Amino acid sequence: MEANGLGSQSFPELKNDTFLRAAWGEETDYTPVWCMRQAGRYLPEFRETRATQDFFSTCRSPEACCELTLQALGMEVTMVPGKGPSFSEPLREEQDLERLRDPAVVASELGYVFQAITLTRQQLAGRVPLIGFAGAPWTLMTYMVEGGSSSTMAQSKRWLYQRPQASHQLLRILTDALVPYLVGQVAAGAQALQLFESHAGHLGPQLFSKFALPYIRDVAKRVKAKLQEAGLAPVPMIIFAKDGHFALEELAQAGYEVVGLDWTVAPKKARERVGKTVTLQGNLDPCALYASEEEIGQMVQKMLDDFGPQRYIANLGHGLYPDMDPEHVGAFVDAVHRHSRLLRQN
């Protein structure tokens, strides 16, 4: 990883490693909590900036991971307000795979992402750990084939049924691009990694185990091997497969320290199904933040009681929405810290 000059960074000492310890399955004094969302989606100060500038100039950050990975593979991506990433020339035929760039060059194309991570890590000054992100191969494939978001993923699933070989070829290309990208994020300063399989729910158990799970496993295995080869310390890895409740057991054995859950899964049942070998993360309904601060406190209490005090990271079951009140996000975080300390005393 010395290629990008980032392998030998010296960073400020980490003052709060609770999240990392929970991810590794170690005991913690309270339950750590974080929220998923591109910074700009809900913080008013960021939305004002973004309104006046092109998305990629304001948000060249790890959060734009899906779009960036695909841009680096040579696909033209624009950010459509309210709709998300949009591709002017989606993959329609098998021969379209030939226009993709060599996945080996992707990490070198994304130098500015690594610089943003290093800068962020320096500026965090050790207050909290920094999490790196990437979209998982199937989720990236859906963007490339659909040309944007879709409610059915019919074009992408048509590929899986009609062109299984070409689908595997594309998923391998994406895996080959993701591995150095994630290793590069760690070299640049990321202290944990989360892989998003945001579109898991469009697949049933059969398609998931054939076209998503093998690549999810492969990413974890290869990233860990490459970190070791590069002489970089291991980092905990999180897999978050939205609506992938049918594959919980498989995800728990896919080589990740943490399995993220959306809000459609009952915490107690999830714990029974995955056992005690992984840390669980989640899973308050994001819309619960529209409730009163008092109700948020009650919902958090129930959630923490159900997940139990250890091997658990609190989070929402998906990202924050643009219109959410930052005060209510604060109430969520405070309730987690307060109630989890009480839980441990009893």
Side-chain angles (χ1 to χ4, degrees):
M1 276 324 296
E2 287 299 322
N4 57 21
L6 294 169
S8 54
Q9 293 291 340
S10 60
F11 289 114
E13 194 188 343
L14 184 60
K15 302 182 181 86
N16 175 0
D17 65 350
T18 306
F19 162 80
L20 294 178
R21 282 190 300 136
W24 286 120
E26 295 166 17
E27 295 248 323
T28 60
D29 301 335
Y30 59 91
T31 297
V33 53
W34 67 282
C35 296
M36 301 179 265
R37 179 45 75 219
Q38 287 160 215
R41 286 296 293 281
Y42 100 106
L43 290 173
E45 52 272 37
F46 193 103
R47 287 223 300 276
E48 284 159 27
T49 325
R50 179 171 167 302
T52 59
Q53 292 174 36
D54 159 64
F55 176 83
F56 283 114
S57 59
T58 49
C59 193
R60 289 201 147 176
S61 70
E63 287 96 350
C65 53
C66 286
E67 301 90 279
L68 297 178
T69 311
L70 300 183
Q71 245 194 344
L73 277 169
M75 291 193 76
E76 195 50 52
V77 191
T78 51
M79 211 50 197
V80 180
K83 264 182 69 179
S86 180
F87 296 79
S88 53
E89 294 180 37
L91 303 179
R92 286 286 173 248
E93 305 297 330
E94 284 186 45
Q95 56 264 35
D96 290 343
L97 295 181
E98 289 160 23
R99 44 171 233 255
L100 295 178
R101 271 203 209 130
D102 176 0
V105 305
V106 169
S108 61
E109 285 280 309
L110 293 168
Y112 61 82
V113 178
F114 302 138
Q115 285 160 9
I117 291 172
T118 300
L119 187 66
T120 307
R121 172 86 184 264
Q122 296 285 6
Q123 294 188 338
L124 278 172
R127 287 193 299 275
V128 286
L130 180 60
I131 308 171
F133 299 95
W138 157 249
T139 291
L140 294 174
M141 174 180 169
T142 65
Y143 281 116
M144 296 170 93
V145 174
E146 301 292 338
S149 52
S150 154
S151 57
T152 60
M153 298 297 163
Q155 295 304 321
S156 312
K157 289 172 76 175
R158 175 192 293 242
W159 270 63
L160 303 185
Y161 283 113
Q162 291 184 351
R163 304 173 179 148
Q165 261 69 39
S167 297
H168 282 300
Q169 190 192 340
L170 175 53
L171 290 161
R172 276 196 298 272
I173 290 170
L174 288 163
T175 305
D176 290 346
L178 276 171
V179 171
Y181 177 45
L182 287 164
V183 173
Q185 290 191 41
V186 176
Q191 290 156 291
L193 294 170
Q194 174 158 306
L195 197 69
F196 282 89
E197 189 70 278
S198 308
H199 299 159
H202 291 277
L203 302 173
Q206 280 80 17
L207 287 180
F208 187 84
S209 67
K210 201 167 166 187
F211 293 102
L213 193 61
Y215 301 98
I216 287 172
R217 282 197 190 116
D218 205 30
V219 167
K221 194 168 110 190
R222 287 169 60 187
V223 165
K224 289 176 176 193
K226 288 268 181 252
L227 289 176
Q228 202 173 0
E229 271 171 45
L232 292 162
V235 298
M237 293 181 71
I238 307 165
I239 177 66
F240 176 65
K242 174 98 171 37
D243 297 319
H245 45 80
F246 50 80
L248 260 188
E249 290 85 350
E250 290 84 351
L251 289 165
Q253 288 161 22
Y256 293 76
E257 284 69 31
V258 184
V259 175
L261 304 175
D262 61 46
W263 68 93
T264 64
V265 183
K268 279 182 178 166
K269 287 197 176 134
R271 178 60 76 195
E272 278 165 28
R273 286 174 59 191
V274 306
K276 297 208 162 62
T277 54
V278 293
T279 293
L280 289 175
Q281 172 180 286
N283 71 337
L284 191 71
D285 179 358
C287 291
L289 296 188
Y290 294 128
S292 70
E293 294 188 20
E294 189 188 349
E295 280 175 283
I296 291 170
Q298 290 161 357
M299 289 185 277
V300 164
Q301 191 169 341
K302 165 103 179 80
M303 178 173 83
L304 293 180
D305 289 347
D306 287 353
F307 274 110
Q310 299 297 346
R311 273 202 176 275
Y312 173 55
I313 295 164
N315 205 320
L316 301 173
H318 202 229
L320 293 160
Y321 300 154
D323 62 350
M324 285 179 166
D325 182 346
E327 296 286 320
H328 284 223
V329 179
F332 165 62
V333 171
D334 292 343
V336 169
H337 287 156
R338 195 174 57 246
H339 187 65
S340 64
R341 285 181 192 277
L342 285 174
L343 258 185
R344 283 163 173 75
Q345 284 164 18
N346 299 334

